[in-house]
Each structure stands twice: as C-alpha cells, then as structure tokens.
Amino acid sequence: MLIVQKYGGSSLADAPRLLSAARRVTGLAQQGAQVVVVVSAQGDTTDDLIAAARQVNPRGSAREMDAYLAAGEQLSAGLMAMAIGALGYPAVSLTGWQAGLRTDGIHGNARILGLEGDRIRRELDQGKIVVVAGFQGLGPGEDVTTLGRGGSDTTAVALAAFLKAQVCQIFTDVDGVYDRDPRRYPDATRFGRISYEKMLRLIENGAQVLHDRSVELAREYMIPVEVLSSFTGAPGTIVGP
Ligand code: ADP
Ligand code: ASP
Ligand code: MG
C-alpha cells in the first residue's frame, strides 16, 4: 500500500508542528504503508521570499523568481527528512527534479507533464520514507519551475497518480472542505464527501483550500483526495468521483 501525504505551510510552521507531522508519517509507515510525503514551505516563507526578492528587484525575471522561491520547499523537505530520522525511521528528501517531476516552461505557473525515472520507487523499495519538495519541477532546458501559489497540492496529487497511490491525503489547518471558508463564516458546513466537479466549482468561487490543478489531475486519474486537519487527526473530507 502506497499513500501520499501532503503538509501545507501552517502544518509545518515551527519545530513542534513539523515533528508532529513527522510522527503522523512514521505512524503510517509503522502500519506497513509506503509513504511519500510532499511538503510546502514553512509558514509564510513563500510570502517572505517574494517580499525579499522585490526589495532587490521589483521586476526580477520569472526564471530567477522560480529559482529563488523553490528553495522554500527544499528547506522544508530536508527538515522533514531529519525530523523523521530523529524518530528512528529512514527517510530521504528529494527536490522536485530529483524526484523526476517534469513541467512545461511557464515560470511561476508551470504545469506538471510527467514523472521521469524511478528514483522515488527505488528509495521506497529500499524501505525509505520519501519526502518530496512540493511546488516545483524541471522545465524544458533544465530550468527550475514553480507551479503557482498553492501548487504543492498538485505535486502531491501528481505523485499519487503517477505512483498509483491508494489515496492522497492533504493535511492543512482546517478539518475538511466546507461550503464556504470556515474561517470567515463560522456557520459554514463541512462536507464528508464532495465530487471532483463540485470541488472545482468551489475553487472557481474562491475556495483556495486546494490548488485547482490538483483536483483536475485527481479527476483525470481517479485519485481519491482526503482533506484533513494536521492538528486533530479526525477524518476529513473525501474529494472523489
Ligand atoms: P495550506 O497551507 O495547508 O496549503 P491553505 O491556506 O492553502 O493551506 O488552505 C487552507 C485554508 O483554506 C483554510 O485555512 C481556509 O481558511 C481556506 N478555505 C477557503 N475556502 C475554504 C473552504 N470552502 N473549505 C475549507 N477551507 C477553505
Ligand atoms: N509555498 C507555496 C505557496 O505558498 C506552495 C504551496 O504552499 O503549496 O504558494
Ligand atoms: Mg494550500
């Protein structure tokens, strides 16, 4: 059994949260599953990096912005692999390109085209938990690309699709998908299940809980996606057929 788990920025914001995510990952591995973990940059790192870049060049090229922003997820991946190691489990961190993720050349909003090579499989078959930096890939001409804001969700679903995972779990700071943003509308109602189509409509209307392309990919490859809280451990919302 192979499971992909993705942790968003707020779920990794500091060392206690990152270690708590690592414990959830190792708990799954303990049960015998192969686990691929996709990580976002910690907390507000991406916003901070964008602000820092603008200070040196308000119109930095899209290519260099990608080279710079992709580092946020790489820091998370290395840290997560070390946290898993601290819990006594073998783990390896991979950048998007080490993992083999190829994209088109649209800097800042690249689309994932495929997974090259078998690096992830080889690491899994050696008994390792594989931690992949989200939000990034390699475009034509071997340049680093990023997938657009919120794009780590799409990294996770793409890997679940290409590796034929059982499920893609998206851990975030709310306990599922609601009919409206639960932070702004305390009376919002939570879905136990929601169809890909309905989820895409919610996203069109501004629900940024999932990256739109992640849901399109999940629908294309029929991957069930579970959106759940990294803080409670309660079952979340299944986005499926
Ligand atoms: P992450 O950093 O884990 O990727 P995001 O900020 O991208 O998290 O997505 C989670 C946020 O999405 C929640 O904090 C919530 O405020 C917001 N959100 C907006 N609309 C919805 C919705 N319909 N259902 C659930 N969450 C929503
Ligand atoms: N770190 C990127 C962002 O803030 C990607 C992601 O979190 O999914 O948009
Ligand atoms: Mg997100």
Side-chain angles (χ1 to χ4, degrees), residues 215-233:
V215 182
E216 290 165 5
L217 264 179
R219 179 174 59 178
E220 184 179 340
Y221 287 86
M222 295 295 274
I223 300 293
V225 175
E226 185 178 12
V227 177
L228 65 177
S229 165
S230 56
F231 308 130
T232 69

Side-chain angles (χ1 to χ4, degrees), residues 74-107:
Q74 293 171 52
L75 295 175
S76 271
L79 213 52
M80 175 59 83
M82 286 192 273
I84 293 169
L87 298 172
Y89 286 76
V92 61
S93 69
L94 299 175
T95 63
W97 42 98
Q98 284 176 304
L101 283 166
R102 303 301 304 219
T103 72
D104 65 19
I106 312 295
H107 286 291

Side-chain angles (χ1 to χ4, degrees), residues 6 8-9 171-174 176-178 180-183 207-209:
K6 177 258 174 178
F171 286 91
T172 184
D173 56 2
V174 289
V177 177
Y178 287 73
R180 287 168 296 166
D181 185 343
R183 292 193 187 284
Q208 39 80 277
V209 60

Side-chain angles (χ1 to χ4, degrees), residues 6 8-9 40-41 43 45-47 69 73 134-135 148-153:
K6 177 258 174 178
S40 289
T45 299
T46 305
D47 292 327
L69 293 184
E73 268 68 14
F135 181 55
R149 298 307 305 267
S152 296
D153 297 331

Side-chain angles (χ1 to χ4, degrees), residues 4-52:
V4 175
Q5 291 194 331
K6 177 258 174 178
Y7 291 90
S10 50
S11 305
L12 305 170
D14 51 28
R17 286 186 182 189
L18 193 124
L19 281 163
S20 147
R23 275 191 293 276
R24 198 181 292 286
V25 168
T26 57
L28 191 57
Q30 174 74 46
Q31 293 167 36
Q34 291 187 317
V35 192
V36 173
V37 187
V38 173
V39 289
S40 289
Q42 289 184 282
D44 298 326
T45 299
T46 305
D47 292 327
D48 296 345
L49 292 176
I50 291 170

